[in-house]
């Protein structure tokens, strides 16, 4: 293990700014940024197509069902070498990649149970982001150009899926503040101020000199 690296994991409510904040942190710190890259590496490890995993990313139960959907015509008999990938195998592939990266490099990792997987990493900073519904609704509507009704439905659906995924992977509640070093309400502070707080935490904890 590289004993000097720092690994930041971010769990988040949908629309609270996890991807934006994580990307900005990685840029400021010159850290590796991992989000959908985790799915790509898992797909490669499992010998399947990236699209089959991205379509059901951070979801439990029907996870990976899309693997065989493209073979619906004619049934599975026409592709005898197809292997349906279980949740356990998918989780394991992602966990292996996350652990490998954390042992070698400084990184910002979004979701995928990273906070739990790396809980024993000596220089791991676990962060949870939440925000009020109006803040999240505004961000998602601006980004995805959805109606208010569509946005609220998407928020509710995605939050539930992420909670279920995390519970199945870890046995714990993703919203439990005891599982994080920092829990930040981005709706109250704004994303830029939230980044400043994280940077200050890094400096205080690790003596990390931010240029």
């Amino acid at each position: 293990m590289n004993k000097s690296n720092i690994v930041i994991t971010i769990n988040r409510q949908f629309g609270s700014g996890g991807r934006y904040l994580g990307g900005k942190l990685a840029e400021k710190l010159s850290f590796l940024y991992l989000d959908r890259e985790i799915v790509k590496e898992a797909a490669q490890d499992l010998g399947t197509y990236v699209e089959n995993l991205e379509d059901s990313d951070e979801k439990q139960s029907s996870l990976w069902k899309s693997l065989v959907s493209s073979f619906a015509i004619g049934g599975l008999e026409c592709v005898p070498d197809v292997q349906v990938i279980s949740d356990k195998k998918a989780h394991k592939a992602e966990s292996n990649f996350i652990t490998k990266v954390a042992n070698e490099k400084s990184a910002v990792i979004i979701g995928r149970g990273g906070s739990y997987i790396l809980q024993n990493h000596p220089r791991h900073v676990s962060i949870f982001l939440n925000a009020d519904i109006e803040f999240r609704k505004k961000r998602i509507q601006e980004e995805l150009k959805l109606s208010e009704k569509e946005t609220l439905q998407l928020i509710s659906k995605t939050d539930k899926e992420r909670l279920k995924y995390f519970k199945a992977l870890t046995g714990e509640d993703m919203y439990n503040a005891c599982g994080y070093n920092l829990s930040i309400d981005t709706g109250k502070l704004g994303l830029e101020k939230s980044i400043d707080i994280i940077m200050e935490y890094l400096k205080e904890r690790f003596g990390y000199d931010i240029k």
Side-chain angles (χ1 to χ4, degrees):
M1 176 183 287
N2 182 347
K3 295 182 179 180
S4 65
N5 64 317
I6 295 170
V7 184
I8 300 169
T9 59
I10 299 176
N11 282 335
R12 70 283 187 223
Q13 289 185 314
F14 185 57
S16 61
R19 186 176 299 168
Y20 173 87
L21 186 148
K24 288 293 185 181
L25 275 176
E27 183 180 344
K28 282 178 175 288
L29 296 165
S30 297
F31 283 9
L32 182 65
Y33 175 76
L34 294 178
D35 185 1
R36 292 193 176 110
E37 294 81 1
I38 298 168
V39 182
K40 294 176 184 177
E41 289 293 330
Q44 182 176 344
D45 183 52
L46 294 168
T48 190
Y49 298 107
V50 173
E51 293 79 7
N52 290 329
L53 305 192
E54 285 185 327
D55 287 344
S56 49
D57 187 26
E58 286 194 276
K59 301 180 182 68
Q60 189 57 32
S61 107
S62 62
L63 194 68
W64 325 121
K65 281 185 178 178
S66 60
L67 176 63
V68 296
S69 64
S70 59
F71 302 113
I73 297 176
L76 289 177
E77 293 79 11
C78 65
V79 282
D81 59 336
V82 170
Q83 178 185 17
V84 178
I85 299 170
S86 68
D87 290 342
K88 185 176 181 180
K89 285 184 178 179
H91 293 161
K92 183 65 174 176
E94 292 190 347
S95 296
N96 287 344
F97 177 61
I98 288 170
T99 302
K100 180 178 184 295
V101 169
N103 285 339
E104 297 174 355
K105 301 176 181 179
S106 291
V108 177
I109 299 173
I110 307 297
R112 284 86 186 181
S115 61
Y116 180 83
I117 294 164
L118 301 177
Q119 60 183 314
N120 295 320
H121 190 290
R123 290 165 70 83
H124 167 219
V125 178
S126 55
I127 298 170
F128 181 74
L129 305 179
N130 66 281
D132 60 86
I133 195 67
E134 288 301 318
F135 178 85
R136 296 196 284 153
K137 183 177 71 174
K138 181 180 178 181
R139 291 193 72 254
I140 294 166
Q141 281 187 288
E142 290 177 352
E143 181 177 349
L144 301 181
K145 311 302 180 187
L146 300 175
S147 69
E148 180 176 8
K149 181 179 179 180
E150 290 171 329
T151 301
L152 291 174
Q153 289 175 339
L154 182 59
I155 289 173
S156 176
K157 180 174 181 288
T158 306
D159 281 348
K160 288 176 181 177
E161 287 171 342
R162 287 179 179 173
L163 279 168
K164 187 176 181 180
Y165 172 90
F166 192 85
K167 181 70 172 180
L169 180 63
T170 71
E172 300 183 1
D173 181 1
M174 189 173 74
Y175 287 178
N176 183 358
C178 294
Y180 304 99
N181 300 124
L182 289 174
S183 182
I184 302 174
D185 186 336
T186 57
K188 295 291 191 296
L189 296 177
L191 292 172
E192 302 306 325
K193 184 61 177 178
S194 297
I195 291 171
D196 291 342
I197 288 173
I198 297 169
M199 299 286 272
E200 185 62 28
Y201 176 89
L202 294 173
K203 183 177 180 180
E204 290 296 323
R205 178 172 166 183
F206 302 113
Y208 200 83
D209 185 19
I210 310 300
K211 296 180 181 180

